[in-house]
């Protein structure tokens, strides 16, 4: 997954983009980058690591411009190296352009092979680069028409930001799988993956970019254009389940509230279950557990101490040390656990390895019984749209039925939230048009399997 952020017409564009990317850091920690429109010439800088590691104070002395776009990356297509860090930059018939992409293109391999056959030389292993070659080859007289024409050749999930001298352009795929929001701060317009980054830089939210819509921002003015025929809207429901920040707004309510509601509906579905306390696997599980506690009347209790500093930078020097790392990340709080039957809530089971380790740890710390509750249905299918899920054969719910999964993770009971209640909670009782392919196998676009 990735995060994108851009701001127009602001003398502090690069600094505000830094803040925006910092706020979107949860969407990608592998690399970060920024491109700035600096007096009719685009400058860019990308690096590996966290936003705070890639950019330095000194850089901002020379990284000026009125409009900037930025990207944080968590690779799902293409390897993790600086060559694949975004924004990608290119110079074509249309002039200098930088692009930042969130999502996954499902026809990228076929397009790449076709373009290479025609002589294209690819510089990265990202799926995003295909749009560059398409735009260079099939161009119109201006960049927005060129973008619109070529987006129609892509399949899959994408939110894009484009920066060319004097213009910032945003686009969202015709199914609206990945998010893109428009905001305003004074005369500046902001485009961001999530609302939280707009609010942190002092902006106001205007609206989501609609599926299949392009927005062109030029000289403090907005121009909207639909580039694709309407398709069924299919917003990724995993944004609310796991990915997005709790203070971001999706479908008219904060993610925190959607997660609280998921927890409440889990309690409704599990009303006959007896337990002493309810708790969540940090961080997303905490909001679920609070909702569960409110509905069930069971006390909420924190059962883990989460170490917040075990990011990418935590090296695991050898196998012996590696064995401690599950405990190091989440350390059980013994007195809260001892002798208790605990309803433990997590957002999802992917391979099942996290829950297995956590349950083992809780039982070692004296828990009597662990009733595992999952705030989403079984994940039985891979995501081709940018959520990092493994191949189908590695998914625990594709291998086993519920009882088999329960045995594998060694829980005393296991319950998954129903899809209808997940949609109710995430859609705020108004949106129903979600991509739920990871639970149902019904993909909203063609996929390259
Ligand atoms: P697993 O251990 O493979 O079952 O993964 C499940 C755990 O990973 C849960 O605690 C989730 O919060 C978390 N998770 C779910 N989806 C993702 C993702 N795309 N990337 C990283 N972690 C995830």
């Amino acid at each position: 997954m990735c995060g994108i952020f851009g701001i127009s017409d602001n003398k502090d564009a690069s600094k505000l983009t830094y803040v925006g990317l910092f706020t979107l850091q949860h969407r990608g920690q592998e690399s970060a980058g920024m491109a700035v429109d600096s007096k009719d010439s685009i400058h860019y800088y990308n690096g590996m690591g966290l936003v705070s590691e890639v950019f330095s104070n000194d850089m901002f002395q020379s990284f000026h411009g009125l409009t900037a776009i930025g990207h944080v990356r968590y690779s799902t297509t293409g390897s993790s190296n600086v060559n694949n860090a975004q924004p990608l930059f290119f110079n074509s018939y249309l002039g200098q352009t930088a692009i930042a992409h969130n999502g996954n293109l499902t026809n990228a391999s076929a397009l790449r092979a076709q373009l290479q056959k025609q002589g294209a030389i690819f510089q990265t292993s990202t799926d995003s680069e295909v749009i560059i070659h398409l735009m260079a080859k099939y161009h119109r007289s201006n960049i927005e028409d060129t973008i619109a024409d070529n987006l129609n050749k892509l399949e899959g999930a994408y939110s894009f930001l484009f920066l060319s001298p004097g213009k910032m352009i945003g686009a969202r795929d015709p199914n609206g799988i990945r998010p893109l929001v428009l905001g305003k701060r004074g005369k500046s317009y902001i485009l961001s993956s999530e609302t939280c980054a707009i609010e942190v830089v002092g902006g106001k939210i205007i609206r989501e970019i609609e599926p299949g819509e392009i927005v062109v921002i030029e000289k403090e003015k907005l121009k909207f254009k639909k580039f694709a025929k309407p398709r069924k809207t299919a917003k990724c429901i995993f944004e609310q389940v796991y990915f997005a920040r709790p203070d971001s707004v999706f479908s008219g309510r904060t993610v925190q509230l959607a997660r609280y509601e998921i927890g409440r509906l889990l309690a409704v579905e599990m009303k006959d279950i007896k337990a002493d306390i309810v708790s969540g696997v940090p961080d997303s599980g905490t909001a679920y557990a609070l909702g569960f506690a409110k509905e069930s009347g069971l006390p909420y209790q924190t059962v883990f101490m989460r170490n917040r500093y075990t990011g990418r930078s935590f090296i695991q020097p050898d196998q012996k040390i590696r064995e401690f790392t599950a405990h190091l990340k989440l350390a059980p709080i013994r007195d809260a656990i001892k002798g208790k039957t605990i309803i433990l809530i997590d957002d999802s089971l992917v391979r099942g390895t996290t829950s297995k380790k956590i349950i083992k740890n809780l039982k070692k710390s004296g828990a009597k019984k662990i009733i595992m509750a999952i705030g989403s249905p079984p994940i039985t299918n891979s995501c081709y749209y940018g959520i990092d899920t493994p191949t189908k054969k590695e998914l625990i719910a594709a291998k086993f039925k519920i009882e088999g999964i329960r045995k594998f993770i060694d829980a005393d009971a296991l319950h998954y939230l129903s899809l209808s209640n997940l949609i109710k909670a995430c859609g705020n009782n108004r949106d129903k048009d979600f991509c739920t392919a990871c639970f149902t196998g019904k993909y909203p676009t063609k996929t390259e399997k």
Side-chain angles (χ1 to χ4, degrees):
M1 185 61 95
C2 303
I4 55 178
F5 182 93
I7 184 162
S8 70
D9 306 293
N10 195 301
K11 64 178 180 16
D12 290 322
S14 57
K15 293 174 197 159
L16 290 167
T17 300
Y18 173 82
V19 176
L21 293 179
F22 199 91
T23 310
L24 297 176
Q25 186 76 82
H26 60 284
R27 298 185 69 87
Q29 301 88 41
E30 282 179 20
S31 68
M34 195 190 302
V36 183
D37 178 10
S38 184
K39 291 209 182 90
D40 294 333
S41 162
I42 307 283
H43 294 276
Y44 71 103
Y45 185 79
N46 301 334
M48 296 304 288
L50 300 174
V51 174
S52 58
E53 293 164 342
V54 170
F55 301 104
S56 68
N57 237 336
D58 292 348
M59 270 187 60
F60 291 106
Q61 309 302 324
S62 57
F63 214 43
H64 294 299
L66 286 181
T67 301
I69 64 169
H71 187 270
V72 286
R73 177 163 194 257
Y74 176 92
S75 60
T76 47
T77 300
S79 47
S80 176
N81 62 52
V82 73
N83 209 29
N84 285 343
Q86 296 194 24
L88 300 175
F89 174 81
F90 66 109
N91 212 331
S92 71
Y93 174 78
L94 292 163
Q96 296 182 324
T97 313
I99 71 161
H101 171 210
N102 173 212
N104 246 34
L105 306 177
T106 52
N107 62 343
S109 309
L111 285 171
R112 176 185 278 256
Q114 189 186 321
L115 287 157
Q116 279 175 326
K117 205 167 161 195
Q118 292 162 347
I121 299 169
F122 277 74
Q123 305 285 327
T124 75
S125 57
T126 64
D127 57 338
S128 319
E129 196 184 338
V130 294
I131 188 71
I132 292 178
H133 294 275
L134 289 170
M135 285 171 63
K137 193 168 160 60
Y138 305 105
H139 50 77
R140 300 264 297 270
S141 58
N142 66 54
I143 186 155
E144 52 266 41
D145 290 340
T146 302
I147 291 170
D149 277 5
N150 287 296
L151 289 181
N152 274 303
K153 297 171 187 147
L154 306 181
E155 285 287 345
Y158 53 86
S159 283
F160 276 116
L161 295 183
F162 299 85
L163 182 69
S164 74
K167 285 182 194 174
M168 175 166 82
I169 298 170
R172 190 170 180 198
D173 70 71
N175 299 96
I177 300 172
R178 297 267 76 90
L180 188 62
V181 201
L182 176 69
K184 195 163 177 15
R185 181 187 190 272
K187 291 178 176 168
S188 307
Y189 285 103
I190 303 167
L191 287 165
S192 171
S193 296
E194 290 184 38
T195 62
C196 62
I198 297 176
E199 293 188 297
V200 166
V201 301
K204 291 229 161 13
I205 298 148
I206 302 179
R207 68 165 173 87
E208 284 186 38
I209 300 304
E210 287 174 12
E213 186 176 51
I214 280 186
V215 53
V216 182
I217 298 159
E218 185 177 15
K219 294 193 181 120
E220 300 173 9
K221 296 245 160 21
L222 287 177
K223 211 164 59 189
F224 295 100
K225 178 181 164 144
K226 283 277 182 176
F227 66 87
K229 286 204 191 93
R231 290 195 199 165
K232 194 169 163 24
T233 299
K235 299 181 196 180
C236 171
I237 206 161
F238 220 70
E239 290 279 354
Q240 281 104 314
V241 170
Y242 170 77
F243 216 79
R245 238 173 72 141
D247 54 336
S248 284
V249 176
F250 282 75
S251 297
R253 69 155 48 134
T254 57
V255 169
Q256 174 77 5
L257 207 62
R259 292 185 184 157
Y260 188 90
E261 186 59 10
I262 287 174
R264 200 187 66 73
L265 292 170
L266 264 175
V268 172
E269 291 184 6
M270 296 170 69
K271 65 178 185 318
D272 298 326
I273 300 254
K274 304 267 177 295
D276 299 310
I277 57 168
V278 53
S279 194
V281 179
D283 289 317
S284 51
T286 308
Y288 293 147
L290 288 168
F292 193 110
K294 168 87 179 149
E295 178 66 29
S296 64
L298 283 175
Y300 169 84
Q301 180 65 267
T302 301
V303 297
F304 290 112
M305 171 64 212
R306 179 184 169 89
N307 189 321
R308 299 190 179 280
Y309 312 102
T310 56
R312 281 167 22 91
S313 54
F314 182 75
I315 52 160
Q316 301 180 355
D318 64 23
Q319 183 56 34
K320 238 171 152 185
I321 303 289
R322 213 166 288 149
E323 281 165 19
F324 305 144
T325 53
H327 200 124
L328 180 119
K329 282 184 189 166
L330 286 178
I333 301 171
R334 206 170 278 276
D335 287 346
I337 296 164
K338 215 162 166 223
K340 303 265 168 56
T341 295
I342 305 169
I343 296 184
L344 182 69
I345 312 187
D346 203 355
D347 56 83
S348 57
L349 289 183
V350 182
R351 292 181 174 88
T353 44
T354 307
S355 295
K356 193 180 173 74
K357 281 185 197 153
I358 284 175
I359 291 170
K360 188 171 165 201
N361 243 335
L362 287 174
K363 289 197 168 166
K364 230 166 85 185
S365 302
K368 187 169 151 201
K369 279 186 183 170
I370 304 296
I371 298 161
M372 195 75 205
I374 306 296
S376 56
I379 297 178
T380 46
N381 298 277
S382 298
C383 176
Y384 299 108
Y385 303 127
I387 298 281
D388 186 26
T389 46
T391 57
K392 189 168 166 125
K393 64 175 189 303
E394 293 167 271
L395 293 168
I396 185 90
K399 283 195 278 200
F400 302 121
K401 299 219 163 61
I402 308 285
E403 178 55 15
I405 302 169
R406 185 198 66 73
K407 278 193 186 139
F408 177 82
I409 62 175
D410 198 23
D412 296 278
L414 170 66
H415 180 84
Y416 281 95
L417 185 71
S418 64
L419 184 61
S420 58
N421 272 340
L422 179 68
I423 291 173
K424 255 191 221 160
C426 296
N428 196 8
N429 294 316
R430 63 175 216 196
D431 280 354
K432 291 194 177 70
D433 299 330
F434 290 107
C435 175
T436 56
C438 51
F439 311 123
T440 61
K442 289 182 195 148
Y443 294 94
T445 72
K446 285 183 205 144
T447 56
E448 235 171 31
K449 290 182 190 170

